[in-house]
Structures are given as structure tokens and as C-alpha cells.
Amino acid sequence: MDEILHILRFKSRSILMRSTEFNAANVVRTFGSIVVFGGFAIGAYYSSRVATDYLLDTARLGLFLLHRFMAMLLFVFFLSINVGNIIVSYATLYRSSEMEYFLTKPIPHTNLFLIKFLDNFFYSSTAFFLMAMAVLLGYGSHFHMPALFYIRTMFLTLMPFIFLSGCLAAIMLMVVMRFAESLGVRKLVLLLVIVYLGGLSLYFSMTNPVQLQAQVMEHFPHVDQYFGYLDPPVAKFLPNHWVAESLYWTMRGDESHALSYVVLLAGATIAVFVLMLWTAKRLFYASWLSSLNLRKTVEAPGGLLKAWSLTSRSRFEPQSTVLVKKEFWQFFREPSQWIHLTIIAVLIVTFISSVAQINLRQPLPFLQTISYMVVLLFNIFLIASIALRFVFPSISAEGMNFWKILSAPVDRRKLFWLKFTLYLAPILLTSEMLVIFSHHSIRNYPLLVQLASIIMLFASLALTALNLGSGSFFSTYREKDPIRVASSQSATLTFLLCIVYLTATVSCLFVPFNGYFAFILRAVPFDQSTVYFGVMLVCILSASLCAGSLALGLRALRRDF
Amino acid sequence: MALRPSVFETDLSTNFNTPAGRESFSQIRNTPLVRDSKNIRKADSITNVTPFLAYLTHYSKIYSTKDPHLRNLMIRLNEVTKKFGDFTAVNGLSLEIKAGEFFGFLGPNGAGKTTTIKMMTGLFTPTSGSIAINGFDIGRNPDEAKFSTGYIPDQPFLYEKLTGREFLYFSAGLYRMDHDAATASIAGLADLFEIGEWIDRRTEHYSQGMRQRIVIAAALLHNPKALIIDEPMVGLDPRSAHIVKKVLKQKSREGSAVFMSTHSLPVAEELCDRIGIIKNGVLVFEDSLNAFHDFKRRYDGKFESTFLELTK
């Protein structure tokens, strides 16, 4: 225990010294982080408050259904934390040079595991804690709950819930790493994706929210009473269910019932934590050694990929060819990159298939404008998130190996443009697919589809350039983990700029589009050129942001290495 | 149309003071790439033609000069200063290294050796002064200067997700070598440095010595006229160190200028024709190894104690 505290003390001190260093860049980054996280927290608080008010006061859903829907959201939340922890834990437990260093010291492996687990857990779950607290405040304020409720729920219910998810993630990761050597890491990851998607689908088919709502509503207006007999038996064993039950009984004023679920959750969390330590004792070092062997197995590119091999002949200009191929292999051989890409691809497909089902048609012009702008904003927001995750770390990903390119006769502008083009192409493709699918229900307004297509084209250009330029400006070549780069304070600041850009885009488009919809739905006289003018403003704004960001990035690339 | 490295190789390895060199120069001038305006238009103007024409212009200038010293000069540092904020890492450093010369750059830790090397390879920009490699200013004509340079850094960082062979092909591509030339060169260097056994493993599993050998091989791939080396023997086993020393000496004999920073006094004594000692960013000694031997005889006859005295 002493050595754990000793190491944690020095790690905290190092983090504290780094983050409290007073210079302009740090001040800007900290300010950016506060604004972004503060903005998200306020947004989460208001959304939660408005949703709770709406569901209970307007839709009159009743306490039981509200908490069952909360259980469903908590299930998704649990899985998100779980997947997030698996990805970050892989980098911190198996890939960090710090772990290699610690393993040479006379410290039990379980202690080392615990130190890195806590480091990783708090790193990857801080944002979740913040969001959970904000949502809890919004939810509790509807019921005018006292301060003690928030403290108790946060520390005795939500924190154990998040911690339980993190522990399960670590156990799964160790098991996967232990057996990846014999079974193949790609097969295991594919299996995990199938298990997660299958689990999600099974859960929702079992709980069947539509059927549940119909069954509960048969008892209207007595919808606050307990309908636990409608729950599927398996759901009662899930931690999300316990959290929802504890909140339900608290709101009903039955503290003893609520406490029983809190105790159940705490007991399960402690049990899983002990199981994780036991697994770590048995598997961690063995799985760490397996991960070394795993890295030694090189899959020679075959089939179509053979042409992409760096050792293959190419008809194209050699310098650009090797730079592109290097970028490709560096990306797809880095597990934290391709695993995250796979997950994001699944999410995009889910988003696209969901958005294609949404009927954007609304009877009132204002509502129509709101619904249209929300979908357009979501599309741009998704592109901004993808760019932040993959484009922002792309210059830092060159790492300390960058000396090879910088000392070779390679024009740095060429390298920069190559990266820009390489990342822009898939982002542009995704954004145009989003336009096509999200406009499915309003496809008979071709003007809207064309304008959205132009807006997304410029948004893709601006957001790719912004993330590349900013990533170049804030490059950290010593950081090996792209996820850490993408979640750094500099990345948060870049995301803040993306949100400012989004706000500016809405400001340019809202009034003209509202006029356009009023013309279509209510035949209100309207000058169509105002829509073109709004879109043109967005294009000019995007082009300026694109040019400025690229200039900044190029300038930063000329700095001393 | 990509510029064939064979043209460059002829160009780079030619001494233009000799009749053969003049003949070679006229051959380059008459290559189809220069004569055929269609080909020039077809070629990528930024990546191929500009450096090539700059090369020809440059050599025609050097060829026309009557100063034999200038014709033979491969590395030139002129009053180079590098400051990091208030701290001056290198202060008014001037050096000239001729083709075929092996220059040892010595100095204690933090003296400014790596900073100097990073400026010579374009990784740092000098605060003032200029650096020319093969007559090309690294600031104004970085690509042309870098074509003539092979750089071996002190820390052999490699792209970890690539295999050794892929890294070598990657390096060859950066110098615009075509596939056949790269394959031949890689095969030769793999034999020379005995890296064939593990060349197809990812570099993330390499030991320091393996990485170092790959980095040295990558630096020699394009047959550079100037080799800039920072601590080449770190992590090498005696056999590999012996091979590396032999190869470097051979390159120097073939006409390449070798600029080597090292902490190893025996290595400097064994390989170098001329040495420079830097202390606090200032060159405190610069002369031939024989002159250094005279100097040390006047002191106590030992390389180490003379070095310690000079850098005290």
C-alpha cells in the first residue's frame, strides 16, 4: 500500500506541476477546457431538467416508466464507460513506457496494475463524472431534492456504478490480452464487438420500451405505482436496474427500499473489484508478456493490401507514395486507432440508419426549421468529433520518429497537404452520406439537399483544416497514445473552436431557413436569395477558417523539432 | 516523370575537379529531362525539376569558380548561433569540412553538439549565421542540401509500426529513389550490417543496437555526399561497431565528408582526420588530428586528459 501511495503522490505532483505551470498557452488551454466542460455540464443540466419536467408534467409518464427509461439510458452509459475504459486501459496498461519502467522495479504486479488502473479510470471517467453530476442535478431539481441527496447519489450510487463498469472493462481486457496471442487479436476484437452489439440488441428486445409503455399506461393515471412484475427477469441482475430502482424508491420516499439497492450495488462493486485484483494477480503480468509477443507477430500484407505494402513497386512519385503508405500502415497497425475507428464506424452506421428513419417534416415553419437545423447541426457535430479524434493527433502521431521526414528532402508543405487530403477524403465522404440519409424524409425539397451538401462540404474542409492546423500547433511528439492527444487540453480548446464555428453556422442559417420553410409551408412571401446569402456566409466563414488553420499549421510545422 | 536516382548518384558522387567529373557534368546537362521541354512540363515542377535545375545552376557556379577550396567544400558553417530564449546553445560557430574529410566533433554534455547537428540537418533553424551542405544553404535550399546528406541521430527513433525493411523502403522513397535502386541498395546494406534475420520484424521489437543499424543503413541508402552523425556507436555490439567504423571510413575514402559527434575519444582518435572541440557553444579547438597529437604531447601525452583540460 505504501508504494502505491508513494507512486500516486509523485504522479499527482507531476500532473499538478505540469498543469499549474503559468504560461500563456496553459492559461488559454485551461480557459478553453473550463468553457467546454462548463458548457457541456450546463447543457446536460438543462437537458435533464427539461426532459424530466416534460416526461412527468407534460407527457405524464409516471415515476415507474421514467425510471425504467432511465435504466435503459444507464445501460448504454454503462457500456460506453466500459468500452472507453477498455480502449484507454489498453494504452496505459500494455503500451506505456511507464509500465515497462515500473515492471523493472521491485513492486508487486498487482500494485502496478492498480496504480495504472486508477490513473486510467480517473483519466477516462472524469468527463463521465461531470456529466453524471450535471444530469443528476437536473433530475433532482425537478423533485426539489436536498443537497444530501446529490452527495449520497453521486458517491454511493453513480460512482460505484461507473467504477463497476471500469473494473469489468479491466477484467475483460486482461482476459482478451491473455488469449489474444493464441486466438488472434482481430478475431477477439470482432467477437467483442459482436458481443456488445448483441448484448445491446438483446437488452432492448427484452425490455421492449414500447410494449412496457403500453402496459403501464393501461393503469393511467396510477402510473407512479410499482410495476416490477413487468420487468424481464434478467434485468433485475443488472447494475443499471439497481441504480434506477434506488432512485425510484427515493422519489417515492421509501428510503429502506432505496438503500437495499444501494447496498446491492456497493456489494457487487466490491466483489467485482476484488475479482479484478484476483484476475490481475493471476493474469496481468502474463497478459502483459503476451502483449509483447503479440506485437512481435507481423501480419504480412496480403491480397489487395499487398499493393499498399511499402516494399511493393508503385507507379506513382516515390516520395508521396511512401508518405501515404506510411500513414496508412501507421494508422491501421495501431490498435487504439483501428479499434476506435471500428467503434466510430459502427456508431456512424447506427446514426445514419436512425437518422434515415426520422421524419423531418413538421407542420409549423418554426418547428420545421428547428428540426432541420438540429439534424444539420448533429451532422456537423459528428464530423467535428471524428476530426478531433483522428485528425487532431495526426501530426503528433509522427512522434519522435519525425526526425526522419524532417531531415529528408521533403517539403513540409507537401507533407501537410498530403495529410490534409488523406483525412479530408473519408470525412467528406461521411459528411455527404449524412446529407443523403438525413434528408431522406425531405428529399422532395432538392434545394435543401443541394444546400446541405454544399454546407457539409465547406464544414468538412473547415473542421479538417482546423483540427490539422491546431494539432500541428499543439503537437506533442513525446506522447505515443493518440487517444491522450485527442483528449488533451489543447484538443478541448480546438473542440471549443469547433463549437464556436457551429454556433456561427447556425446564426448564419437560422433566419433564412426559417423564411424558406415559412414560404413552403405557409406561402409567406420570401426572397430565396437570402438563403443563398446565408449559405454563402457559411462558405466564406468556413473557407476563412480553413485557410487560417492551414496557415497556422504550416507555420507550426516549420518550428524547431 | 520521376528523376532517376542514378542521375543524382552520378551527380552526387562526382568530383568536378577531375576530367571525368567534367565529363559527368556535361552528361547531366544533356539528360533528356533538361533538354526535353515536354518532359519538364510533365514532371512535377516542385518535386523534381526545381531541385534538379537548382542543382545544375549550383554546379555550374561551383565549376566556374577558380577557388579549388570552394569546389571541394562539402559542409560549411558560417558564424552559426542558436539561442533558446536567453540561453545561447551555439555561439558563432564556423567550420569547413571538405569532401573526403572525416571530422570528429567532441565536447562535454550540453556543449552544443546535438544542437549544431540538428541545425545542419534542418531540424533546428539557426538564430543567425548560415549552413551550407554541398554548397546549398540549408535554410534557402533545404531539399537540395538534404539530398546530399545522410543523417544518423543520437536516438534511433523509428516508426514502430513498420518493419525494418519497410522503414528502409520508406527512407528510400523520401530521397525519391526508384524501387529497383532501393531494392538493390537495401539488399547490399542488409548484408553489410547483417540485419537480414530480423529485417522483417516490426521495429518496435528491436533492441537499441538493431535500431541503430537500421538507422545507419537508412542514412547510407541514397549514397550521400555528406554524412552527419550523432553518437553512432551507442548501443552497438563490438562486431557491429567494427562494421560501422569500417563503413564510415570507407565512405570517407570514397569522397564523402563525414561529420561525427562522439563522446568516445578512442573512436575519434581511430577515425578522424580532423577534430573540433566545442564547449559552452564555442569551438575551443579545431585542427587536424596530428596537430592535436602535437598539442597533447606538449600537455601530458594523453588524449583524455588533454580533452578534459580543454573542456574544463
mmCIF file with all atom_site columns, all heavy atoms in Angstrom, chain A residues 262-277:
data_model
loop_
_atom_site.group_PDB
_atom_site.id
_atom_site.type_symbol
_atom_site.label_atom_id
_atom_site.label_alt_id
_atom_site.label_comp_id
_atom_site.label_asym_id
_atom_site.label_entity_id
_atom_site.label_seq_id
_atom_site.pdbx_PDB_ins_code
_atom_site.Cartn_x
_atom_site.Cartn_y
_atom_site.Cartn_z
_atom_site.occupancy
_atom_site.B_iso_or_equiv
_atom_site.pdbx_formal_charge
_atom_site.auth_seq_id
_atom_site.auth_comp_id
_atom_site.auth_asym_id
_atom_site.auth_atom_id
_atom_site.pdbx_PDB_model_num
ATOM 1   N N   . VAL A 1 262 ? -28.829 0.295   -3.050  1.00 0.00 ? 262 VAL A N   1
ATOM 2   C CA  . VAL A 1 262 ? -27.509 0.915   -2.907  1.00 0.00 ? 262 VAL A CA  1
ATOM 3   C C   . VAL A 1 262 ? -26.525 -0.101  -2.337  1.00 0.00 ? 262 VAL A C   1
ATOM 4   O O   . VAL A 1 262 ? -25.386 -0.240  -2.823  1.00 0.00 ? 262 VAL A O   1
ATOM 5   C CB  . VAL A 1 262 ? -27.585 2.178   -1.998  1.00 0.00 ? 262 VAL A CB  1
ATOM 6   C CG1 . VAL A 1 262 ? -26.208 2.701   -1.671  1.00 0.00 ? 262 VAL A CG1 1
ATOM 7   C CG2 . VAL A 1 262 ? -28.413 3.254   -2.667  1.00 0.00 ? 262 VAL A CG2 1
ATOM 8   N N   . VAL A 1 263 ? -26.996 -0.860  -1.351  1.00 0.00 ? 263 VAL A N   1
ATOM 9   C CA  . VAL A 1 263 ? -26.131 -1.878  -0.735  1.00 0.00 ? 263 VAL A CA  1
ATOM 10  C C   . VAL A 1 263 ? -25.795 -2.965  -1.760  1.00 0.00 ? 263 VAL A C   1
ATOM 11  O O   . VAL A 1 263 ? -24.650 -3.412  -1.863  1.00 0.00 ? 263 VAL A O   1
ATOM 12  C CB  . VAL A 1 263 ? -26.831 -2.484  0.519   1.00 0.00 ? 263 VAL A CB  1
ATOM 13  C CG1 . VAL A 1 263 ? -26.065 -3.698  1.036   1.00 0.00 ? 263 VAL A CG1 1
ATOM 14  C CG2 . VAL A 1 263 ? -26.946 -1.429  1.607   1.00 0.00 ? 263 VAL A CG2 1
ATOM 15  N N   . LEU A 1 264 ? -26.802 -3.356  -2.524  1.00 0.00 ? 264 LEU A N   1
ATOM 16  C CA  . LEU A 1 264 ? -26.584 -4.373  -3.561  1.00 0.00 ? 264 LEU A CA  1
ATOM 17  C C   . LEU A 1 264 ? -25.527 -3.914  -4.565  1.00 0.00 ? 264 LEU A C   1
ATOM 18  O O   . LEU A 1 264 ? -24.603 -4.658  -4.923  1.00 0.00 ? 264 LEU A O   1
ATOM 19  C CB  . LEU A 1 264 ? -27.918 -4.632  -4.279  1.00 0.00 ? 264 LEU A CB  1
ATOM 20  C CG  . LEU A 1 264 ? -27.952 -5.757  -5.300  1.00 0.00 ? 264 LEU A CG  1
ATOM 21  C CD1 . LEU A 1 264 ? -27.623 -7.098  -4.657  1.00 0.00 ? 264 LEU A CD1 1
ATOM 22  C CD2 . LEU A 1 264 ? -29.332 -5.829  -5.953  1.00 0.00 ? 264 LEU A CD2 1
ATOM 23  N N   . LEU A 1 265 ? -25.641 -2.647  -4.971  1.00 0.00 ? 265 LEU A N   1
ATOM 24  C CA  . LEU A 1 265 ? -24.690 -2.090  -5.940  1.00 0.00 ? 265 LEU A CA  1
ATOM 25  C C   . LEU A 1 265 ? -23.282 -2.015  -5.331  1.00 0.00 ? 265 LEU A C   1
ATOM 26  O O   . LEU A 1 265 ? -22.298 -2.404  -5.977  1.00 0.00 ? 265 LEU A O   1
ATOM 27  C CB  . LEU A 1 265 ? -25.156 -0.684  -6.369  1.00 0.00 ? 265 LEU A CB  1
ATOM 28  C CG  . LEU A 1 265 ? -24.307 0.007   -7.421  1.00 0.00 ? 265 LEU A CG  1
ATOM 29  C CD1 . LEU A 1 265 ? -24.387 -0.719  -8.754  1.00 0.00 ? 265 LEU A CD1 1
ATOM 30  C CD2 . LEU A 1 265 ? -24.765 1.449   -7.624  1.00 0.00 ? 265 LEU A CD2 1
ATOM 31  N N   . ALA A 1 266 ? -23.207 -1.544  -4.075  1.00 0.00 ? 266 ALA A N   1
ATOM 32  C CA  . ALA A 1 266 ? -21.900 -1.424  -3.420  1.00 0.00 ? 266 ALA A CA  1
ATOM 33  C C   . ALA A 1 266 ? -21.274 -2.810  -3.273  1.00 0.00 ? 266 ALA A C   1
ATOM 34  O O   . ALA A 1 266 ? -20.073 -2.990  -3.543  1.00 0.00 ? 266 ALA A O   1
ATOM 35  C CB  . ALA A 1 266 ? -22.071 -0.767  -2.057  1.00 0.00 ? 266 ALA A CB  1
ATOM 36  N N   . GLY A 1 267 ? -22.113 -3.794  -2.869  1.00 0.00 ? 267 GLY A N   1
ATOM 37  C CA  . GLY A 1 267 ? -21.607 -5.157  -2.696  1.00 0.00 ? 267 GLY A CA  1
ATOM 38  C C   . GLY A 1 267 ? -21.069 -5.707  -4.012  1.00 0.00 ? 267 GLY A C   1
ATOM 39  O O   . GLY A 1 267 ? -19.969 -6.273  -4.066  1.00 0.00 ? 267 GLY A O   1
ATOM 40  N N   . ALA A 1 268 ? -21.836 -5.513  -5.070  1.00 0.00 ? 268 ALA A N   1
ATOM 41  C CA  . ALA A 1 268 ? -21.413 -6.013  -6.388  1.00 0.00 ? 268 ALA A CA  1
ATOM 42  C C   . ALA A 1 268 ? -20.124 -5.319  -6.829  1.00 0.00 ? 268 ALA A C   1
ATOM 43  O O   . ALA A 1 268 ? -19.221 -5.957  -7.393  1.00 0.00 ? 268 ALA A O   1
ATOM 44  C CB  . ALA A 1 268 ? -22.515 -5.776  -7.405  1.00 0.00 ? 268 ALA A CB  1
ATOM 45  N N   . THR A 1 269 ? -20.030 -4.017  -6.560  1.00 0.00 ? 269 THR A N   1
ATOM 46  C CA  . THR A 1 269 ? -18.835 -3.270  -6.977  1.00 0.00 ? 269 THR A CA  1
ATOM 47  C C   . THR A 1 269 ? -17.606 -3.786  -6.227  1.00 0.00 ? 269 THR A C   1
ATOM 48  O O   . THR A 1 269 ? -16.550 -4.007  -6.844  1.00 0.00 ? 269 THR A O   1
ATOM 49  C CB  . THR A 1 269 ? -19.031 -1.759  -6.714  1.00 0.00 ? 269 THR A CB  1
ATOM 50  O OG1 . THR A 1 269 ? -20.234 -1.349  -7.341  1.00 0.00 ? 269 THR A OG1 1
ATOM 51  C CG2 . THR A 1 269 ? -17.879 -0.944  -7.257  1.00 0.00 ? 269 THR A CG2 1
ATOM 52  N N   . ILE A 1 270 ? -17.772 -4.000  -4.927  1.00 0.00 ? 270 ILE A N   1
ATOM 53  C CA  . ILE A 1 270 ? -16.632 -4.513  -4.144  1.00 0.00 ? 270 ILE A CA  1
ATOM 54  C C   . ILE A 1 270 ? -16.242 -5.901  -4.639  1.00 0.00 ? 270 ILE A C   1
ATOM 55  O O   . ILE A 1 270 ? -15.061 -6.200  -4.819  1.00 0.00 ? 270 ILE A O   1
ATOM 56  C CB  . ILE A 1 270 ? -16.984 -4.526  -2.631  1.00 0.00 ? 270 ILE A CB  1
ATOM 57  C CG1 . ILE A 1 270 ? -17.127 -3.079  -2.130  1.00 0.00 ? 270 ILE A CG1 1
ATOM 58  C CG2 . ILE A 1 270 ? -15.916 -5.258  -1.817  1.00 0.00 ? 270 ILE A CG2 1
ATOM 59  C CD1 . ILE A 1 270 ? -17.759 -2.942  -0.764  1.00 0.00 ? 270 ILE A CD1 1
ATOM 60  N N   . ALA A 1 271 ? -17.259 -6.732  -4.893  1.00 0.00 ? 271 ALA A N   1
ATOM 61  C CA  . ALA A 1 271 ? -16.984 -8.095  -5.363  1.00 0.00 ? 271 ALA A CA  1
ATOM 62  C C   . ALA A 1 271 ? -16.242 -8.072  -6.702  1.00 0.00 ? 271 ALA A C   1
ATOM 63  O O   . ALA A 1 271 ? -15.248 -8.790  -6.890  1.00 0.00 ? 271 ALA A O   1
ATOM 64  C CB  . ALA A 1 271 ? -18.296 -8.863  -5.492  1.00 0.00 ? 271 ALA A CB  1
ATOM 65  N N   . VAL A 1 272 ? -16.690 -7.217  -7.609  1.00 0.00 ? 272 VAL A N   1
ATOM 66  C CA  . VAL A 1 272 ? -16.040 -7.158  -8.930  1.00 0.00 ? 272 VAL A CA  1
ATOM 67  C C   . VAL A 1 272 ? -14.633 -6.554  -8.806  1.00 0.00 ? 272 VAL A C   1
ATOM 68  O O   . VAL A 1 272 ? -13.699 -6.981  -9.495  1.00 0.00 ? 272 VAL A O   1
ATOM 69  C CB  . VAL A 1 272 ? -16.914 -6.364  -9.935  1.00 0.00 ? 272 VAL A CB  1
ATOM 70  C CG1 . VAL A 1 272 ? -16.175 -6.135  -11.242 1.00 0.00 ? 272 VAL A CG1 1
ATOM 71  C CG2 . VAL A 1 272 ? -18.189 -7.114  -10.215 1.00 0.00 ? 272 VAL A CG2 1
ATOM 72  N N   . PHE A 1 273 ? -14.486 -5.602  -7.880  1.00 0.00 ? 273 PHE A N   1
ATOM 73  C CA  . PHE A 1 273 ? -13.163 -5.014  -7.651  1.00 0.00 ? 273 PHE A CA  1
ATOM 74  C C   . PHE A 1 273 ? -12.187 -6.086  -7.140  1.00 0.00 ? 273 PHE A C   1
ATOM 75  O O   . PHE A 1 273 ? -11.059 -6.196  -7.629  1.00 0.00 ? 273 PHE A O   1
ATOM 76  C CB  . PHE A 1 273 ? -13.288 -3.861  -6.639  1.00 0.00 ? 273 PHE A CB  1
ATOM 77  C CG  . PHE A 1 273 ? -11.978 -3.214  -6.300  1.00 0.00 ? 273 PHE A CG  1
ATOM 78  C CD1 . PHE A 1 273 ? -11.282 -2.476  -7.250  1.00 0.00 ? 273 PHE A CD1 1
ATOM 79  C CD2 . PHE A 1 273 ? -11.419 -3.338  -5.034  1.00 0.00 ? 273 PHE A CD2 1
ATOM 80  C CE1 . PHE A 1 273 ? -10.068 -1.874  -6.944  1.00 0.00 ? 273 PHE A CE1 1
ATOM 81  C CE2 . PHE A 1 273 ? -10.207 -2.742  -4.722  1.00 0.00 ? 273 PHE A CE2 1
ATOM 82  C CZ  . PHE A 1 273 ? -9.526  -2.010  -5.683  1.00 0.00 ? 273 PHE A CZ  1
ATOM 83  N N   . VAL A 1 274 ? -12.666 -6.911  -6.200  1.00 0.00 ? 274 VAL A N   1
ATOM 84  C CA  . VAL A 1 274 ? -11.813 -7.993  -5.672  1.00 0.00 ? 274 VAL A CA  1
ATOM 85  C C   . VAL A 1 274 ? -11.511 -8.996  -6.791  1.00 0.00 ? 274 VAL A C   1
ATOM 86  O O   . VAL A 1 274 ? -10.373 -9.448  -6.951  1.00 0.00 ? 274 VAL A O   1
ATOM 87  C CB  . VAL A 1 274 ? -12.513 -8.684  -4.464  1.00 0.00 ? 274 VAL A CB  1
ATOM 88  C CG1 . VAL A 1 274 ? -11.744 -9.929  -4.033  1.00 0.00 ? 274 VAL A CG1 1
ATOM 89  C CG2 . VAL A 1 274 ? -12.636 -7.707  -3.298  1.00 0.00 ? 274 VAL A CG2 1
ATOM 90  N N   . LEU A 1 275 ? -12.536 -9.287  -7.588  1.00 0.00 ? 275 LEU A N   1
ATOM 91  C CA  . LEU A 1 275 ? -12.339 -10.203 -8.713  1.00 0.00 ? 275 LEU A CA  1
ATOM 92  C C   . LEU A 1 275 ? -11.301 -9.642  -9.692  1.00 0.00 ? 275 LEU A C   1
ATOM 93  O O   . LEU A 1 275 ? -10.460 -10.372 -10.222 1.00 0.00 ? 275 LEU A O   1
ATOM 94  C CB  . LEU A 1 275 ? -13.681 -10.422 -9.437  1.00 0.00 ? 275 LEU A CB  1
ATOM 95  C CG  . LEU A 1 275 ? -13.625 -11.315 -10.678 1.00 0.00 ? 275 LEU A CG  1
ATOM 96  C CD1 . LEU A 1 275 ? -13.341 -12.765 -10.302 1.00 0.00 ? 275 LEU A CD1 1
ATOM 97  C CD2 . LEU A 1 275 ? -14.942 -11.238 -11.451 1.00 0.00 ? 275 LEU A CD2 1
ATOM 98  N N   . MET A 1 276 ? -11.352 -8.329  -9.877  1.00 0.00 ? 276 MET A N   1
ATOM 99  C CA  . MET A 1 276 ? -10.392 -7.684  -10.786 1.00 0.00 ? 276 MET A CA  1
ATOM 100 C C   . MET A 1 276 ? -8.967  -7.819  -10.224 1.00 0.00 ? 276 MET A C   1
ATOM 101 O O   . MET A 1 276 ? -8.027  -8.141  -10.962 1.00 0.00 ? 276 MET A O   1
ATOM 102 C CB  . MET A 1 276 ? -10.753 -6.203  -10.956 1.00 0.00 ? 276 MET A CB  1
ATOM 103 C CG  . MET A 1 276 ? -9.816  -5.462  -11.880 1.00 0.00 ? 276 MET A CG  1
ATOM 104 S SD  . MET A 1 276 ? -10.176 -3.703  -11.904 1.00 0.00 ? 276 MET A SD  1
ATOM 105 C CE  . MET A 1 276 ? -9.480  -3.182  -10.353 1.00 0.00 ? 276 MET A CE  1
ATOM 106 N N   . LEU A 1 277 ? -8.819  -7.607  -8.908  1.00 0.00 ? 277 LEU A N   1
ATOM 107 C CA  . LEU A 1 277 ? -7.490  -7.734  -8.303  1.00 0.00 ? 277 LEU A CA  1
ATOM 108 C C   . LEU A 1 277 ? -6.988  -9.175  -8.388  1.00 0.00 ? 277 LEU A C   1
ATOM 109 O O   . LEU A 1 277 ? -5.815  -9.426  -8.674  1.00 0.00 ? 277 LEU A O   1
ATOM 110 C CB  . LEU A 1 277 ? -7.519  -7.270  -6.845  1.00 0.00 ? 277 LEU A CB  1
ATOM 111 C CG  . LEU A 1 277 ? -7.744  -5.781  -6.615  1.00 0.00 ? 277 LEU A CG  1
ATOM 112 C CD1 . LEU A 1 277 ? -7.698  -5.457  -5.131  1.00 0.00 ? 277 LEU A CD1 1
ATOM 113 C CD2 . LEU A 1 277 ? -6.703  -4.932  -7.344  1.00 0.00 ? 277 LEU A CD2 1
#
